[in-house]
Amino acid sequence: MQNARKKMFIPAVFAAAITIGSLAGCSGTGDASTSTPSASESSASASLPSSFPKSDVPLIDGDILVARGDKDNGWSVTVQPEGKTGFADAKSKLEQAGYTLSGTASDSKATYINDKYTVGVGTPGVSVTYTVTAN
């Protein structure tokens, strides 16, 4: 019985070694054109759509994780802030830019408005998501 276990164990170890070796080969440092970016590299590479109203809608400092949309349909932008006060900072920046609170705000959602845009701000935790539509 011991011999049967040893005979099964050796092929299993060999298969595991091949699998691990092939996975290690995938994580090599190939050139940028063939390597897949990590999550942190991907998040830092997102950029705002060219039509996003950068001068009218202030965003918090941080890495843009997702940025989509256009003038006709509105924009959605998610930012990973540099600190832990991203939601409070987002509300403060909008107020400083002349936006007023529309309705009531909660600990995780608020809507601001000015004569050009309506900006919904929300946070599921640390990141902050902006939903921007033209008025």
Side-chain angles (χ1 to χ4, degrees):
M1 186 77 167
Q2 288 264 348
N3 259 350
R5 283 189 205 157
K6 284 183 183 177
K7 287 181 183 177
M8 290 176 62
F9 179 74
I10 291 173
V13 169
F14 184 72
I18 290 173
T19 301
I20 293 170
S22 66
L23 290 175
C26 290
S27 65
T29 59
D31 67 26
S33 64
T34 59
S35 65
T36 302
S38 68
S40 62
E41 290 170 334
S42 295
S43 66
S45 65
S47 60
L48 292 173
S50 60
S51 63
F52 186 84
K54 297 173 198 145
S55 60
D56 292 321
V57 180
L59 301 177
I60 57 171
D61 294 331
D63 292 326
I64 297 174
L65 302 177
V66 178
R68 295 188 175 118
D70 57 41
K71 186 175 183 177
D72 295 332
N73 299 303
W75 301 268
S76 177
V77 178
T78 300
V79 179
Q80 181 69 38
E82 295 173 349
K84 295 185 186 250
T85 59
F87 183 63
D89 294 345
K91 293 190 307 181
S92 177
K93 279 191 157 201
L94 288 167
E95 290 168 3
Q96 290 172 4
Y99 283 82
T100 56
L101 183 63
S102 175
T104 59
S106 71
D107 291 340
S108 62
K109 291 183 181 181
T111 302
Y112 287 86
I113 192 165
N114 72 6
D115 58 335
K116 293 182 181 179
Y117 298 99
T118 298
V119 181
V121 183
T123 181
V126 177
S127 62
V128 176
T129 298
Y130 294 81
T131 305
V132 180
T133 54
N135 293 341

